[in-house]
Amino acid sequence: MLDACRPVRLTLSRIGDKWSVLIVMALCGGPRRFNELKRAIDGISQRMLTLTLRGMERDGLISRTVHPTTPPRVEYALTDLGRTLREPIEALGQWAVENESRIRAAQERFDAAG
Amino acid sequence: MLDACRPVRLTLSRIGDKWSVLIVMALCGGPRRFNELKRAIDGISQRMLTLTLRGMERDGLISRTVHPTTPPRVEYALTDLGRTLREPIEALGQWAVENESRIRAAQERFDAAG
DNA sequence: CTGGATCCGCAATGATACTG
DNA sequence: CAGTATCATTGCGGATCCAG
């Protein structure tokens, strides 16, 4: 079990950032263009979208295909590897949904205790 | 599925930091004292251990019990809620182990392509 | 032993302007 | 449209000193 320490840390350093998971979610429905992603992911800056997409492309999680038209059309999509990430991510999401209220309750108790 | 966006982000902001997962791992075997944790988790500073433990205690993931002896003895342990986190974390760990080589290969391909 | 308090550096993120 | 480049800002994390 402690064998999982290092890989978990590596994975978290990949998808634990502020935007990667949201990008995975946004791409679940199929390929999306750059500005489609920008609009879909509320609050992300152009810069961070570019950087995060690059990193995920480097890790083989997403693919980037350029259609040489004018104006340029660039589509991002989950790779097979990227799609497999959905499962553990959704496990985490399910945990979060199931325990959201308990966490909030714990926080309020803690804050009240001072 | 997109319902999971917000909770996943919240969860990641909790356990996506540099040390939380390692603390969960370290506490899997039972309660640990402050300095036991410090020794078990290589590279963590006193400050970050304190801060991370506080945050996790606030979220109800771990408990902190003080034995009023001299010298003081403080034990940290996973709560029931904290133990349930192990499952999705291990799912992530398993994904990481299974796909580590594919990720490295993708990175090398990407870097080679320049 | 178990922290709290303080200072500091660096990396991550954001805002803005510019380009093919 | 899809970026790149630059600057400003913020917060995380480390180092150090101090205390019950």
Side-chain angles (χ1 to χ4, degrees):
Chain A
M1 221 291 270
L2 284 181
D3 314 330
C5 271
R6 200 177 51 97
V8 168
R9 296 261 302 113
L10 288 175
T11 305
L12 281 179
S13 74
R14 254 173 212 106
I15 66 161
D17 65 71
K18 202 170 174 182
W19 303 110
S20 292
V21 167
L22 295 181
I23 291 179
V24 171
M25 300 286 197
L27 290 178
C28 276
R32 294 283 182 272
R33 301 180 56 174
F34 185 86
N35 275 345
E36 283 182 320
L37 287 173
K38 184 154 164 32
R39 278 187 295 271
I41 302 173
D42 198 60
I44 194 171
S45 65
Q46 206 168 39
R47 171 191 156 81
M48 287 316 297
L49 181 55
T50 300
L51 287 181
T52 310
L53 286 171
R54 282 288 178 281
M56 296 175 71
E57 186 193 359
R58 177 169 185 269
D59 291 338
L61 298 176
I62 62 176
S63 64
R64 174 178 182 271
T65 50
V66 182
H67 301 82
T69 61
T70 55
R73 175 189 187 85
V74 181
E75 286 201 330
Y76 294 90
L78 288 178
T79 61
D80 289 341
L81 182 58
R83 265 184 291 275
T84 66
L85 234 193
R86 290 174 55 186
E87 201 174 317
I89 283 181
E90 284 172 23
L92 215 54
Q94 194 178 0
W95 182 90
V97 172
E98 287 171 359
N99 297 287
E100 213 174 0
S101 61
R102 270 199 275 184
I103 291 177
R104 254 204 312 276
Q107 289 175 346
E108 286 167 13
R109 239 177 294 127
F110 185 91
D111 294 344
Chain B
M1 220 289 267
L2 285 181
D3 313 331
C5 272
R6 200 176 51 95
V8 169
R9 294 263 302 112
L10 288 175
T11 304
L12 281 180
S13 74
R14 257 177 210 101
I15 67 161
D17 64 70
K18 202 170 174 182
W19 304 110
S20 293
V21 167
L22 294 182
I23 290 179
V24 171
M25 300 287 196
L27 290 179
C28 275
R32 294 283 183 272
R33 300 181 56 175
F34 186 84
N35 273 347
E36 283 182 321
L37 287 174
K38 184 153 162 35
R39 278 188 296 271
I41 301 173
D42 198 61
I44 194 171
S45 65
Q46 206 168 42
R47 170 190 156 82
M48 287 317 296
L49 181 55
T50 300
L51 286 180
T52 310
L53 286 171
R54 281 288 177 283
M56 296 175 71
E57 185 194 359
R58 177 170 185 268
D59 291 337
L61 298 176
I62 62 176
S63 64
R64 173 177 182 271
T65 50
V66 182
H67 301 81
T69 61
T70 56
R73 175 189 186 84
V74 181
E75 287 201 331
Y76 294 91
L78 287 179
T79 61
D80 290 341
L81 182 58
R83 264 185 291 276
T84 66
L85 233 192
R86 290 174 54 187
E87 201 174 317
I89 283 182
E90 285 172 24
L92 214 54
Q94 194 178 359
W95 182 90
V97 172
E98 287 172 358
N99 298 286
E100 213 173 358
S101 61
R102 270 199 275 183
I103 291 177
R104 254 204 312 276
Q107 289 175 347
E108 285 167 14
R109 239 177 294 129
F110 186 91
D111 295 343

